[in-house]
Amino acid sequence: MKVKEVAELVGISVRTLHHYNEIGLLIPDETTDAGYRIYSDENLETLQQILFFRELGFPLKKIKEIIDSPSFNQQEALEMQHKMLLKKKRRLDQMIGTIEKTIQHAKGEIQMTNQEKFEGFDFSHNPYEQEAREKWGDQAVDEANKIAKNMTAFDQEKFNEVFRNLAAIRHLSPDSKEVQEKIREWYHFLNNMGNYSLEAFKGLGQMYVDDERFTQNIDQFGEGLAKFMCTAMGIYAEKNQK
């Protein structure tokens, strides 16, 4: 099948298929002398796998890693996707029920408890967590999760104070004495709340620039602060390794 035919069959754009080809995610098995890309049945099976993963929220980079892995097994992948989609369906069914009850509640037809108003919501699973663990290591992610879970209003203000102080000196070199002193304080402050090795501390700094959620939260104290802290934390870790 040609690109346009596949796009019409599946319901995605030709541009999307071209993009998948460009990043090496889905390369057509054949190309005619006229330059037309021809997709085989095996290509369509791979495309189905890709779209299942996309429906489950997997980023394209991760999908490519999974499919390109020598250990990839299509049958096992389908069974895993089936289980994950069923779990997603059950949660969506519960949320639909919550919405329907809320509509009735708003009309005065029924009364809902506060607990019933939030049935179906589940924020316990972070879809980016596995990718974060692969990039930055288990310790950096575990400590970040523990700190976030146990954060108090006082702790949050201390965090904000650190960010404000570092934002005020981000015009200096990250390896300057003044900056490194503030980063040392940051390292010890984090270790009073958790247990960061120097390697995990460096990994945390990398999270500040690789994860846009960290970047946005930190850069609200000063544009470019996340990148500045990442560099400074990396320098501190390297200088203090035994």
Side-chain angles (χ1 to χ4, degrees), residues 216-241:
Q216 290 174 1
N217 286 334
I218 295 172
D219 278 4
Q220 66 180 325
F221 294 92
E223 186 176 354
L225 179 59
K227 184 176 181 181
F228 176 77
M229 289 185 67
C230 171
T231 303
M233 290 164 71
I235 292 171
Y236 180 85
E238 291 171 7
K239 282 185 174 180
N240 289 277
Q241 289 282 3

Side-chain angles (χ1 to χ4, degrees), residues 125-141:
H125 174 63
N126 180 352
Y128 302 99
E129 183 162 317
Q130 185 56 41
E131 185 176 358
R133 290 183 182 279
E134 292 171 3
K135 282 185 178 181
W136 309 304
D138 288 336
Q139 187 186 8
V141 177

Side-chain angles (χ1 to χ4, degrees), residues 84-215:
M84 293 177 73
L85 286 169
L86 283 175
K87 183 177 180 181
K88 182 178 180 179
K89 178 180 180 294
R90 287 192 292 270
R91 188 172 68 83
L92 288 174
D93 285 343
Q94 192 172 24
M95 290 188 73
I96 289 170
T98 299
I99 289 176
E100 290 173 347
K101 285 183 180 179
T102 302
I103 292 171
Q104 290 179 289
H105 175 77
K107 291 179 178 178
E109 297 174 357
I110 64 170
Q111 289 295 318
M112 292 181 75
T113 65
N114 287 333
Q115 183 177 1
E116 288 175 326
K117 292 175 184 177
F118 298 97
E119 288 179 350
F121 291 99
D122 181 8
F123 302 107
S124 62
H125 174 63
N126 180 352
Y128 302 99
E129 183 162 317
Q130 185 56 41
E131 185 176 358
R133 290 183 182 279
E134 292 171 3
K135 282 185 178 181
W136 309 304
D138 288 336
Q139 187 186 8
V141 177
D142 287 341
E143 291 298 334
N145 285 343
K146 183 166 70 174
I147 288 173
K149 182 179 180 181
N150 297 325
M151 182 79 70
T152 66
F154 173 76
D155 293 329
Q156 183 61 62
E157 180 51 36
K158 291 292 291 183
F159 268 62
N160 293 347
E161 182 181 349
V162 170
F163 293 144
R164 285 193 293 266
N165 289 340
L166 282 164
I169 59 173
R170 71 187 188 282
H171 61 284
L172 300 177
S173 173
D175 64 354
S176 68
K177 182 178 180 180
E178 187 174 357
V179 172
Q180 285 299 300
E181 177 60 25
K182 290 297 182 184
I183 291 296
R184 184 189 68 80
E185 292 175 5
W186 178 229
Y187 176 67
H188 288 293
F189 174 68
L190 289 174
N191 273 289
N192 285 333
M193 301 181 66
N195 183 26
Y196 276 92
S197 66
L198 288 167
E199 183 179 357
F201 184 63
K202 182 178 180 179
L204 179 65
Q206 193 62 46
M207 288 172 69
Y208 292 168
V209 294
D210 287 350
D211 190 320
E212 63 181 14
R213 294 165 298 171
F214 275 98
T215 305

